[in-house]
Every structure is written in C-alpha cells, then in structure tokens.
Amino acid sequence: LLNRYSTAAKALTTVNVNGKAFEADDYTNITPKIASYLNSNLHLKKNHPLSLVRQRIVNYFYTFRYAGNPEFSVYDNLNPVVSTKQNFDDLLIPLDHVSRAKSDCYYINRGTLLRAHMTAHQSELLRSGLNNFLMIGDVYRRDEIDSTHFPVFHQVDAVRSLHKERLFPNQPDLEIFEPQYDTKNPFTFKNTISDPMKQSCHTLEATKVMETQLKNHLIGMVKTLFGKDIKHRWVDAYFPFTHPSWELEIFYENKWMEVLGCGIVRNEILVNAGPSNTIAYAFGLGLERLAMALYKIPDIRLMWSNDSGFLTQFENKDLDAKITYKPVSSYPQCTNDLSFWLPENLSIDTFMSNDFYELVRGIGGDIVEQVKLKDKFVHPKTKKHSLCYSIVYRHLERTLTQEEVNRIHKDIEVAVATAFNVVIR
Ligand code: FA5
Ligand code: MG
C-alpha cells in the first residue's frame, strides 16, 4: 500500500487494497493504518461483543416468517471497497453533499472508496431481486477522536419491501400509489418530498402501514436487546434516500442515545433498482453503540483489543446472558498539549481538523485516547491564527511512562509541522 501518509499519495500511481490495484489520484487519502483494519471481521469473530449483538439482532429478524420461511436474508460478507455510485449516486445523495467530502471519507481514488455506510449495498441487492434483507459489516469514516469514535465501526442495515397484496392483505381496494402515479411508466411522475408525512407518489395509507411496521419492528428489536422497559423516542430526521425519515433514541444511563436512522425508501431508488411496484422501509444502526451500552464497555478502542482480559469476558456465554464488562484495570492518562501557528493562508475555520486527527492517530496509534481543541487565538498584531489541542494518551493494557509519551508527542509535533506547514509554539 502507500508507504507514507496522504500527502505522499500524489507521488504514487497505484494503491493496493484487498489484493487489487487501483489508480491513485488527487482524491486518494486511504492510509496504510486504515487499510490494516480491512478483513478484521470483528462482527463475525467468535465471542466478540460486536458478534454477540449481531447474532441477537439477526435472530430477532429471523423470527419474521412468511409461509414458514425467514423473510430476511442476511449478507455479512460484502466487500467494503465500493464505488461512489454505490455509496452516493444510487442513494440520490447530491454531488455537492457534505458526506462526499474528502475530509469525511476514505477514498481509494475519485471513483472508489471504503464504504461510509452499509446502505452502499442497498441498490445492488435490490437489483439482484431481493425484497427483505440485512447487510452487516465494517464502515469507514474520517472523524474526531474520543471514547465513542473510531474510524472503523460496524453497521446493520436493512430493507423490507412489500407488494400491495402483502401490505394490505385484507383490503384489496387500498393502493400503494396515488392514482396520478403510473407504475408502468414510473419515470413520467415527478416524485416530491415537500409533504412531511409522505412521498407524493405514495398513498397516506400505504406510508402509514409501512411506518407502523418499521417502528414496531425496531422497537421490538431494542426491547429484545435491552429489556421490555427500555424508554425510547422517535425524532424526525432527514436522509436523501428515505422520506419520511426518523432516528430512534433510547434512554440509557440518564442520556438519550441515537441508535439508528430509518425511513421509507425513496421511490426513485426502487424504480431504478426494482422492485418498482412496492413500498419499502430501510434502517441503519451502529453495532458499537449498542454493544458499548449493553455490556457497559467504556471505550470504543476496546473493540479492537486482543487482550485476553477483554475477550474472555464474552466467551462461551449464552447469547442473551447479561454481561457487564469489568475493566481489566484502569491505567492512568497522560495529557500533553500541542500549540501551533497556522500559516497565513489558513484560518481556524479552514484548518482541516480531520486531516490533523488522522495524522495524530497515524503516529500515536491506539494509545491516543482523545484529541480535543483546547484553545484558539488570533494574534492582535500579526493576525495569525493559533490552535491548541490537548492530546490524551492512555494505553488500554499497561501504564505509559511520561518519557514514552513525550517521545511520541515530539514525533507528532514534527509530523504536524511538516504536513500542515504550521509553526509549533
Ligand atoms: C447512516 O449511516 C444511514 N446510512 C442510516 C440509514 C440507513 C438511514 C437506511 C435510513 C435508511 P448515520 O450516519 O446517522 O446514518 O449512522 C447510522 C448509525 O450508525 C447511527 O445512528 C449510529 O448508531 C451509528 N454511528 C454513526 N456514526 C458513528 C460513529 N462515528 N461511531 C459509532 N457509531 C456511529
Ligand atoms: Mg445520525
């Protein structure tokens, strides 16, 4: 793969990812560190907490049966290398949408990236003729650094699409589509989302029945995971690929926590990928968030721990057993500050913080627990901008010495000064 960080990418012509060579270009920003997480398959690893939660969710969806057979088929082994068409275009995500930014995704090149959500596979599976399915796997996003964020996490996505006969089994006079919409010539209808209740092509009855199924299925899922007394609420949301859309939050340890996004699939997607005469729901949830809450795992980096003190706590347990993670031991933190002057052409608002986080993580590795902006400042005379970040270091399995941390911190200073042309204060 690349032997240097993203700045070096320009000099190279090919990038090898998952055994395949790709032409590098000005969008290439995948790092060797990130590529090293590919094929880890934590969600399939025996006794891994992510795998336990995955199995519980899959088992729950297996209880939905039609004519004796499970309704949902499960795909947990899809290649995370996807095209921008799969990750964005097929999902009606506009060309200028923020989620496409180089600062938010790991691009292999302009046309190829590590999927940023499992929804990237929705259209291809619909196109292959599937109606009800789950897609489970690792997703990649450039993001901040703290105890709940890691550049790789795992999602479970789903689609359920129903024909009129299944949607309204006892009411043959009810329709999925408004009379103006012609299922034989779907492209002649301009579908709109200006009505907050539904897409213009759908009838209110069809939308409400699908919405009720969606919400019941998901509440059933969180009750299966957290117990029947779990408190939840629905929050209106927006996704380019669903309308209406919602987020589900659960009240957990005195806080509302977002667990998933969902909604009624935009009809344009079904028309493009088939089955065009159905209405569908879709959702996407984060496995780490659920596992951390269920097992009281305090830091997302623990998911990547190979320490037996972590993994053995989940060994040979009944899937539904109540497991509470006990910290192997809590080693002390070390916090060092990093202050620098930005070059004249950069301001506090244009400094690419995700590039900075990535560089810190690339050098400090998993001992970097958090990077937080501590202070920003504009010099009254020179008008130069200065930023100060606190970097919190902690090893999950042993105590770090101050000298060791200072050495790594120094390396980070040198690398930051070179990569961003800043002056360390
Ligand atoms: C999505 O990724 C949409 N694809 C979900 C979706 C699918 C909506 C189908 C509608 C239909 P979002 O970025 O909000 O949405 O992520 C979905 C879930 O993934 C979140 O609710 C959260 O549980 C989890 N998640 C998102 N970002 C992170 C993160 N940085 N760390 C851990 N979990 C995360
Ligand atoms: Mg969200």
Side-chain angles (χ1 to χ4, degrees):
L1 200 93
L2 302 183
N3 50 12
R4 298 270 309 280
Y5 292 98
S6 49
T7 45
K10 291 182 208 75
L12 296 160
T13 50
T14 61
V15 199
N16 285 304
V17 183
N18 258 355
K20 231 184 119 184
F22 295 85
E23 192 111 0
D25 61 24
D26 58 327
Y27 257 58
T28 307
N29 65 0
I30 177 175
T31 63
K33 173 90 180 151
I34 288 301
S36 75
Y37 293 117
L38 288 163
N39 307 310
S40 302
N41 284 325
L42 297 186
H43 64 295
L44 301 176
K45 198 165 157 180
K46 196 167 178 281
N47 302 324
H48 195 283
L50 295 176
S51 180
L52 300 184
V53 183
R54 170 192 58 85
Q55 290 173 71
R56 293 184 67 184
I57 293 172
V58 167
N59 288 349
Y60 168 76
F61 280 96
Y62 273 154
T63 64
F64 295 91
R65 306 239 156 194
Y66 186 64
N69 298 313
E71 293 218 65
F72 289 89
S73 41
V74 178
Y75 295 82
D76 54 19
N77 195 16
L78 299 161
N79 188 350
V81 176
V82 299
S83 62
T84 46
K85 179 175 182 298
Q86 290 172 291
N87 202 83
F88 305 115
D89 306 348
D90 282 349
L91 295 167
L92 316 176
I93 298 175
L95 279 173
D96 58 357
H97 196 267
V98 286
S99 65
R100 293 189 186 238
K102 214 175 135 177
S103 60
D104 287 40
C105 300
Y106 289 104
Y107 280 95
I108 298 171
N109 58 33
R110 271 185 180 264
T112 322
L113 70 161
L114 298 181
R115 65 188 167 211
H117 56 176
M118 287 308 292
T119 322
H121 300 286
Q122 185 181 94
S123 283
E124 74 192 75
L125 292 183
L126 283 168
R127 223 170 263 132
S128 77
L130 293 164
N131 295 314
N132 294 262
F133 50 91
L134 302 178
M135 304 163 268
I136 310 173
D138 38 335
V139 301
Y140 297 77
R141 292 189 197 173
R142 303 183 70 197
D143 216 331
E144 52 198 306
I145 299 179
D146 66 26
S147 63
T148 62
H149 288 85
F150 201 78
V152 192
F153 62 98
H154 296 75
Q155 288 185 329
V156 178
D157 245 63
V159 172
R160 171 173 180 75
S161 91
L162 293 176
H163 289 95
K164 169 185 143 110
E165 293 70 29
R166 284 291 312 279
L167 194 70
F168 302 120
N170 305 314
Q171 296 142 295
D173 50 320
L174 292 182
E175 299 289 342
I176 290 179
F177 295 101
E178 293 284 3
Q180 312 87 281
Y181 178 84
D182 177 3
T183 47
K184 302 238 161 48
N185 294 299
F187 291 104
T188 59
F189 185 87
K190 172 97 185 70
N191 194 24
T192 66
I193 56 166
S194 45
D195 180 348
M197 306 281 273
K198 66 179 199 69
Q199 300 173 38
S200 63
C201 66
H202 290 142
T203 63
L204 190 58
E205 292 81 9
T207 308
K208 283 292 166 195
V209 171
M210 211 62 213
E211 173 181 341
T212 306
Q213 279 204 11
L214 169 62
K215 290 182 171 175
N216 287 342
H217 290 178
L218 289 172
I219 289 165
M221 180 189 75
V222 294
K223 287 192 171 169
T224 302
L225 294 175
F226 289 89
K228 64 175 178 15
D229 297 325
I230 186 79
K231 249 171 70 180
H232 72 269
R233 70 179 183 197
W234 292 100
V235 180
D236 287 335
Y238 172 79
F239 298 100
F241 32 94
T242 50
H243 184 78
S245 308
W246 303 272
E247 280 170 352
L248 175 60
E249 297 186 345
I250 61 173
F251 195 68
Y252 194 77
E253 299 195 323
N254 289 313
K255 280 203 295 277
W256 286 105
M257 174 176 79
E258 177 199 320
V259 264
L260 60 86
C262 66
I264 307 297
V265 176
R266 288 275 293 267
N267 190 56
E268 295 89 322
I269 295 174
L270 298 177
V271 168
N272 287 334
S276 62
N277 53 350
T278 64
I279 186 168
Y281 77 47
F283 69 79
L285 63 82
L287 275 180
E288 273 77 358
R289 233 170 248 189
L290 291 176
M292 288 174 78
L294 268 174
Y295 306 128
K296 301 203 167 43
I297 299 170
D299 193 305
I300 195 165
R301 291 174 300 159
L302 282 160
M303 299 293 175
W304 296 88
S305 168
N306 285 316
D307 188 85
S308 61
F310 177 74
L311 289 171
T312 53
Q313 297 195 29
F314 302 92
E315 232 164 53
N316 305 319
K317 289 286 194 321
D318 180 333
L319 263 188
D320 298 328
K322 193 170 155 50
I323 306 172
T324 303
Y325 172 73
K326 287 173 223 58
V328 186
S329 160
S330 191
Y331 297 99
Q333 294 175 326
C334 253
T335 303
N336 284 21
D337 288 352
L338 179 63
S339 310
F340 47 84
W341 293 109
L342 293 176
E344 264 157 35
N345 62 337
L346 277 185
S347 76
I348 285 161
D349 301 316
T350 54
F351 179 64
M352 300 295 267
S353 52
N354 279 350
D355 289 345
F356 169 70
Y357 297 146
E358 181 118 47
L359 188 71
V360 174
R361 175 102 71 186
I363 291 167
D366 291 350
I367 69 163
V368 175
E369 180 172 275
Q370 192 181 6
V371 181
K372 47 189 178 191
L373 184 60
K374 188 177 172 186
D375 193 25
K376 43 190 182 184
F377 164 73
V378 182
H379 193 281
K381 288 223 182 74
T382 66
K383 298 284 183 268
K384 279 197 172 183
H385 291 215
S386 159
L387 294 176
C388 176
Y389 285 94
S390 287
I391 305 182
V392 182
Y393 299 89
R394 190 199 323 241
H395 201 293
L396 290 169
E397 281 130 21
R398 63 183 176 82
T399 300
L400 291 169
T401 66
Q402 187 64 55
E403 294 91 82
E404 190 178 1
V405 168
N406 291 349
R407 259 198 318 275
I408 295 161
H409 195 75
K410 188 81 210 156
D411 287 347
I412 292 174
E413 282 186 346
V414 171
V416 167
T418 322
F420 304 111
N421 199 20
V422 301
V423 178
I424 305 294
R425 296 180 64 180

